[in-house]
Amino acid sequence: MEHQLINIFPLSIYRSKIDLPKDIKHVMLSEIKQMYENTIKRGIISEDSSWTGDTHGHEYLYENPKFDFFFQEVEKHIKKYIGLFELDLNQLDFYFQRAWATVSRGKQGINAHAHKQSHLSFAFYLKKEESDASIYFVDTNGHNEFLQGLFSSPSISKRGLFKKRDITNSSSININTNEDEIIIFPSKTMHGTFKNVQNNERISISADISLTAKDSSDLEQLMTPVSKWKKFK
């Protein structure tokens, strides 16, 4: 029998495109730039890290009516993504938990991180040139890493021990996204954008999404309906 690799336990990242009407896109860009400029006026800016709206008082972007059309389109893509796993969408409720814009200029980037308080997250590239930094994902499980640190070791990479790098022997994978593309992934997935890559002005929108069961009877894993929760007095 000829030898083969059986690749199991995949991480499935959803990639698609949202074509926004030009007038809506212009309004969204103007609104985000205004948020950004107001932050700069207060002197709150970092040379190394991208500006993120959720840490500067703009964490509920979906409450802004200027973004209504966009979030309606996002809802469609979120449901398409979940549907690919053969789940019955009629038994689930979806909630935007937080949404914000990110602006990256110069060599600003975002360190690898995860959004462990939610279930799904996305990144949409409202403005992006081909040379701007893209998103990367980190494999924290290391299923193929038979020697700890083998895939991420700088010295091993420098030595050229690997003849070729691909998804079977890499600790991180970069996805070269384009303007108007949306990337959806499990929130627990470590991700970031590379620093020291010259960005013209990359502007993206992200959000965290939570799922609950419409009826949690006899279900152990899914979150119960929010209407059934009781707040502490």
Side-chain angles (χ1 to χ4, degrees), residues 55-74:
T55 59
H56 293 97
H58 304 285
E59 62 177 329
Y60 303 115
L61 212 56
Y62 47 78
E63 293 184 345
N64 187 326
K66 295 178 180 178
F67 294 84
D68 283 350
F69 179 86
F70 168 70
F71 282 106
Q72 289 170 11
E73 293 300 301
V74 169

Side-chain angles (χ1 to χ4, degrees), residues 89-95 209-215 225-226:
L89 302 183
N90 294 321
Q91 297 189 46
L92 300 171
D93 281 326
F94 298 77
Y95 295 90
I209 295 142
S210 293
L211 282 65
T212 66
K214 290 183 177 180
D215 178 5
V226 176

Side-chain angles (χ1 to χ4, degrees), residues 6 33 48 102 114 133 157 176 194 202 212 220:
I6 301 174
K33 288 181 180 181
D48 299 323
T102 298
S157 295
N176 291 315
F194 289 109
R202 189 183 74 243
T212 66
E220 183 179 357

Side-chain angles (χ1 to χ4, degrees), residues 58-157:
H58 304 285
E59 62 177 329
Y60 303 115
L61 212 56
Y62 47 78
E63 293 184 345
N64 187 326
K66 295 178 180 178
F67 294 84
D68 283 350
F69 179 86
F70 168 70
F71 282 106
Q72 289 170 11
E73 293 300 301
V74 169
E75 288 181 16
K76 298 175 185 177
H77 285 279
I78 292 293
K79 291 182 177 180
K80 284 181 182 178
Y81 174 56
I82 292 299
L84 293 174
F85 297 106
E86 303 298 337
L87 287 168
D88 182 1
L89 302 183
N90 294 321
Q91 297 189 46
L92 300 171
D93 281 326
F94 298 77
Y95 295 90
F96 285 114
Q97 184 190 102
R98 177 184 293 142
W100 65 96
T102 298
V103 178
S104 301
R105 291 178 172 176
K107 295 185 177 181
Q108 295 174 329
I110 301 175
N111 293 330
H113 63 287
H115 303 197
K116 296 182 179 180
Q117 79 285 350
S118 59
H119 298 136
L120 297 175
S121 297
F122 75 79
F124 172 76
Y125 295 89
L126 187 63
K127 182 182 179 184
K128 184 182 184 299
E129 294 188 1
E130 188 175 348
S131 59
D132 292 343
S134 292
I135 191 169
Y136 69 89
F137 293 93
V138 179
D139 176 20
T140 55
N141 294 313
H143 289 300
N144 283 347
E145 199 173 48
F146 46 87
L147 295 175
Q148 189 172 2
L150 179 65
F151 296 165
S152 59
S153 169
S155 62
I156 287 178
S157 295

Side-chain angles (χ1 to χ4, degrees), residues 149-191:
L150 179 65
F151 296 165
S152 59
S153 169
S155 62
I156 287 178
S157 295
K158 186 177 181 180
R159 176 68 66 86
L161 183 62
F162 289 99
K163 295 184 291 184
K164 183 179 71 171
R165 289 282 196 159
D166 57 29
I167 60 173
T168 65
N169 61 12
S170 298
S171 60
S172 65
I173 297 293
N174 183 46
I175 297 181
N176 291 315
T177 51
N178 300 309
E179 185 169 303
D180 299 324
E181 285 190 339
I182 184 171
I183 302 291
I184 305 173
F185 51 93
S187 299
K188 64 182 181 181
T189 310
M190 290 285 288
H191 60 284

